[in-house]
Amino acid sequence: AHLYAGLLTHDPGMYPRRTILDYARRHGIPILALDVNASEPEYVVEAVDDAWGIRLAFQDVRGISDAEIRSIMAARADRPFRDVGDFMRRTTVSRPVTEALAHSGAFDALQQTRRRHLYVAMTAAPEREGDQLTLTSGADPADGHRFKDYSDAEVVRAELEVLGLDAPRHIVSFFEPLLCDLGVTRSKDLRATRGGTKVIVAGVKVASQTPAIRSGQRIIFLTLDDATGPVEVTVFESVQPKVAKIVFHGSALAVAGELRRTGVGGVSVVAEEVWDLSALHRARGQGRLREAVRGELLGTQIATPAGPGPRSLWHASPGSAG
């Protein structure tokens, strides 16, 4: 836990923080939410029951300044924050950052729902009084309102928006039924798959590079994270006209292509088609998944379900390597 916390705190270089976070999660290390009364400027290790967990840090809150973090720490040293209004009164944190903190769950350990915390952060009418911020009245601006709490999907989306991390659960977990229907091969199974096999992989895009190549070709190298490990993808110029927009603008992708060996134990998928995973998810919900993937791909055909229960949309056609 201390190793991962150190990697998360400092610039991880080629390994984005969400990738390091996922490695920690896969090793059974609890990831503790951002908390105005518990988080520190950097990632820290905390005791959780009989294990050690990693507490998310203020440093990754988008838009927060060092001065605002110092303001939080100084006010909290006096006494813990009771609610959003108390936080606004005793710190110099701007309203947009307070809203971001509420949206990402930093007040969740206090009473009331996250949506209520966000409402107070957005609507409380503060007035300057010296160097502090006070509310115009002692009344809670959310009184009389009922707020439904965030869904699991909204919690993950909020953390991605504010922190760039999906701490409570990997975002790919929301696409599991779709991945099953597509017959996706997961990262943990790729090394045992024969080279030359046609596969479909999917995951969150964690890195993309277009390094200079001696031949002058423009080659895109992608790294996806599918919650079981990284997936390396190569996109050659021949397919870029039809996929480049999705590759560069999509955050979660499905890629169909050929598995190639890249050295001892290394594998990469040479892309032949790329889809936006969220778009496929919507199409599946509307019963248009066949249409969204054009019905036929890479020598495979969409299978017609024989009855209820789990199914795969793909089966190998004669002559297919997959």
Side-chain angles (χ1 to χ4, degrees):
H2 286 85
L3 171 63
Y4 286 118
L7 289 172
L8 286 161
T9 292
H10 304 291
D11 184 2
M14 66 179 293
Y15 298 104
R17 284 191 174 92
R18 65 184 316 282
T19 301
I20 298 171
L21 194 74
D22 196 49
Y23 279 132
R25 189 163 39 201
R26 289 205 301 272
H27 282 85
I29 299 173
I31 307 302
L32 309 178
L34 192 71
D35 188 320
V36 292
N37 283 322
S39 290
E40 298 287 335
E42 300 177 343
Y43 289 83
V44 293
V45 172
E46 288 186 23
V48 183
D49 297 327
D50 56 350
W52 293 98
I54 298 174
R55 175 71 67 180
L56 296 186
F58 289 125
Q59 70 178 44
D60 279 338
V61 176
R62 288 178 180 167
I64 199 167
S65 68
D66 290 342
E68 287 174 318
I69 294 176
R70 289 194 296 270
S71 171
I72 294 171
M73 302 306 293
R76 195 176 78 193
D78 182 36
R79 62 184 184 279
F81 300 112
R82 298 191 311 274
D83 51 38
V84 178
D86 182 43
F87 178 88
M88 296 177 73
R89 283 191 295 272
R90 297 199 289 124
T91 71
T92 58
V93 177
S94 68
R95 184 189 293 274
V97 172
T98 303
E99 292 173 6
L101 289 168
H103 185 45
S104 64
F107 296 98
D108 281 5
L110 308 179
Q111 293 182 347
Q112 307 301 338
T113 66
R114 184 179 302 194
R115 211 176 299 276
R116 183 187 180 96
H117 294 317
L118 179 58
Y119 180 83
V120 174
M122 295 173 64
T123 60
E127 288 184 349
R128 289 287 175 186
E129 191 174 279
D131 292 328
Q132 290 193 327
L133 203 60
T134 59
L135 302 181
T136 53
S137 77
D140 185 337
D143 282 348
H145 296 270
R146 298 183 64 184
F147 298 91
K148 184 175 72 172
D149 211 346
Y150 278 33
S151 66
D152 288 348
E154 287 174 321
V155 167
V156 172
R157 188 180 306 117
E159 291 202 344
L160 284 170
E161 290 171 355
V162 176
L163 304 171
L165 304 167
D166 43 350
R169 57 186 285 195
H170 198 289
I171 194 170
V172 167
S173 66
F174 293 100
F175 298 110
E176 291 292 351
L178 171 63
L179 304 191
C180 180
D181 282 353
L182 291 174
V184 164
T185 302
R186 305 304 284 262
S187 172
K188 64 183 178 63
D189 301 318
L190 284 176
R191 285 180 177 79
T193 303
R194 178 169 54 89
T197 299
K198 302 291 187 177
V199 297
I200 298 178
V201 295
V204 177
K205 183 178 68 179
V206 296
S208 63
Q209 301 178 43
T210 54
I213 304 297
R214 182 173 299 177
S215 66
Q217 289 190 36
R218 182 175 185 258
I219 302 177
I220 304 170
F221 296 98
L222 295 175
T223 301
L224 306 180
D225 176 7
D226 72 356
T228 72
V231 179
E232 303 301 331
V233 175
T234 305
V235 185
F236 287 106
E237 278 189 335
S238 58
V239 299
Q240 288 177 23
K242 65 177 180 178
V243 306
K245 183 176 180 180
I246 296 172
V247 165
F248 288 118
H249 296 285
S251 59
L253 307 174
V255 178
E258 181 177 303
L259 184 73
R260 292 190 182 177
R261 299 290 171 182
T262 58
V264 180
V267 294
S268 177
V269 176
V270 177
E272 298 179 22
E273 186 63 80
V274 181
W275 301 276
D276 183 294
L277 205 57
S278 296
L280 291 186
H281 179 71
R282 290 192 297 270
R284 180 181 184 273
Q286 298 164 358
R288 299 187 302 100
L289 186 55
R290 284 191 181 91
E291 177 186 344
V293 296
R294 299 179 187 148
E296 186 172 330
L297 177 71
L298 301 175
T300 62
Q301 294 180 337
I302 295 176
T304 301
R311 63 188 178 89
S312 174
L313 284 174
W314 309 98
H315 72 268
S317 61
S320 169

